[in-house]
């Protein structure tokens, strides 16, 4: 079964009583439990652990990494960002959640600012499934409604997604590309928008379903390991025309 590491900055939960009440053990604990219930082998890692909990050993045993960060993107060591990025390029799946859009890791993999509009006003969010045949949409209704969320609005400064699975409408009128698929090297990346820390979003079964589907989709395939470089010996005899 796919081995998953759920990484969380884990600062809001320890600073803000509103967030503590929603996620007493941290949002990584809630996500890990939800993924274990889907049969995944899950460990967690947080910013304040040595090497942010993302040592070579941990990453070598991680097939899909889930990432939530916000307050402390700048505290994530560049060496760890490089290590994780290299693993993604080598085939590890990556699920970037909500404010992870501004992480060093996501920006490095996208190559753009990843900036957006935002407003924290407890708005209704309606996520529309716009690619119902995609594996990440499996088992979802046509529309997921979240009673209260932070608004993220376009433009979201990302490269055009290879597949856009979900798009959001907010009560205030903005739109947002909320479920974006990419390939970088051999790794699959999914950006999923919901998950502001002061709302109980990651307790919602349909949100958990999207994340579990995304983990399944992003897991490394069984294809050949590519090789590169100079080929002085041809595979078959070279013939003059
Ligand atoms: Zn937020």
């Amino acid at each position: 079964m796919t081995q998953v590491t759920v990484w969380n900055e884990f600062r809001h939960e320890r600073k803000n009583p509103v967030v503590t009440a929603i996620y007493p053990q941290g949002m990584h604990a809630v996500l890990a439990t939800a993924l274990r219930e889907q049969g995944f082998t899950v460990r967690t890692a947080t910013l304040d652990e040595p090497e942010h909990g993302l040592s070579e050993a941990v990453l070598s045993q991680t097939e899909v990494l889930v990432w939530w960060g916000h307050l402390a993107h700048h505290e994530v060591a560049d060496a760890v960002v490089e290590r994780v990025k290299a693993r993604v390029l080598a085939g590890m799946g990556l699920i970037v959640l909500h404010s992870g859009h501004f992480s060093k890791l996501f920006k490095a993999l996208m190559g753009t600012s990843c900036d957006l509009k935002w407003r924290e006003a407890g708005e209704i969010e309606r996520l529309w499934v716009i690619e119902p045949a995609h594996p990440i949409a499996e088992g979802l209704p046509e529309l997921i409604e979240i009673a209260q969320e932070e608004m993220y609005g376009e433009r979201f400064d990302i490269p055009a997604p290879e597949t856009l699975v979900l798009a959001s409408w907010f009560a205030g009128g903005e739109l947002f590309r909320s479920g974006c698929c990419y390939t970088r090297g051999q790794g699959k990346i999914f950006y999923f928008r919901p998950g502001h820390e002061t709302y109980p979003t990651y307790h919602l079964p349909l949100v958990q379903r999207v994340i579990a589907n995304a983990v399944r989709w992003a897991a490394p395939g069984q294809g050949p390991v590519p090789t590169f470089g100079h080929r002085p010996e041809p595979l078959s005899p070279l013939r003059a025309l």
Side-chain angles (χ1 to χ4, degrees):
M1 188 40 85
T2 304
Q3 300 192 74
V4 182
T5 299
V6 178
W7 189 89
N8 181 16
E9 181 181 279
F10 196 31
R11 292 279 176 85
H12 288 286
E13 297 96 323
R14 293 185 290 152
K15 283 183 168 187
N16 181 346
V18 173
V19 184
T20 313
I22 300 169
Y23 300 110
Q25 313 299 319
M27 57 179 79
H28 54 290
V30 170
L31 291 170
T33 299
L35 290 169
R36 285 186 192 113
E37 284 168 2
Q38 293 293 313
F40 298 109
T41 303
V42 186
R43 70 170 86 206
T44 62
T46 56
L47 177 67
D48 292 324
E49 294 171 42
E51 300 182 74
H52 313 319
L54 298 173
S55 63
E56 289 280 7
V58 167
L59 286 176
S60 71
Q61 293 166 25
T62 300
E63 295 175 290
V64 180
L65 178 67
V66 179
W67 189 280
W68 196 101
H70 179 225
L71 285 177
H73 293 314
H74 61 286
E75 292 183 44
V76 178
D78 291 340
V80 173
V81 173
E82 278 307 307
R83 184 188 294 163
V84 175
K85 181 182 165 188
R87 277 285 293 144
V88 172
L89 296 178
M92 182 181 74
L94 176 68
I95 315 300
V96 176
L97 299 173
H98 188 60
S99 41
H101 74 91
F102 248 180
S103 61
K104 289 181 187 177
L105 176 64
F106 189 60
K107 290 197 284 188
L109 286 161
M110 295 297 107
T112 55
S113 77
C114 301
D115 211 343
L116 46 74
K117 294 183 182 69
W118 61 279
R119 172 172 62 240
E120 204 181 325
E123 291 170 51
I124 295 172
E125 175 176 9
R126 291 192 177 122
L127 289 126
W128 289 92
V129 175
I130 58 177
E131 287 297 344
H134 195 277
I136 295 176
E138 196 178 312
L140 299 179
E142 189 174 30
L143 172 64
I144 300 171
E145 189 165 289
I146 301 178
Q148 285 200 305
E149 254 294 351
E150 178 181 18
M151 182 281 292
Y152 277 5
E154 297 282 349
R155 164 145 173 103
F156 183 20
D157 186 27
I158 47 171
E162 291 163 25
T163 308
L164 181 62
V165 182
L166 297 149
S168 288
W169 169 95
F170 292 88
E174 286 88 354
L175 299 174
F176 196 75
R177 288 169 290 171
S178 283
C180 306
C181 297
Y182 297 94
T183 312
R184 290 291 184 270
Q186 296 160 77
K188 291 182 220 141
I189 301 169
F190 184 63
Y191 173 79
F192 185 47
R193 195 218 77 86
H196 186 68
E197 66 276 1
T198 58
Y199 307 116
T201 301
Y202 294 133
H203 290 284
L204 300 174
L206 289 175
V207 168
Q208 294 178 354
R209 175 92 199 212
V210 173
I211 295 169
N213 287 349
V215 166
R216 225 168 268 122
W217 168 82
Q222 302 300 316
V225 176
T227 59
F228 302 98
H230 182 211
R231 286 291 186 275
E233 299 299 332
L235 283 178
S236 30
L238 300 180
R239 274 183 235 151
L241 289 172

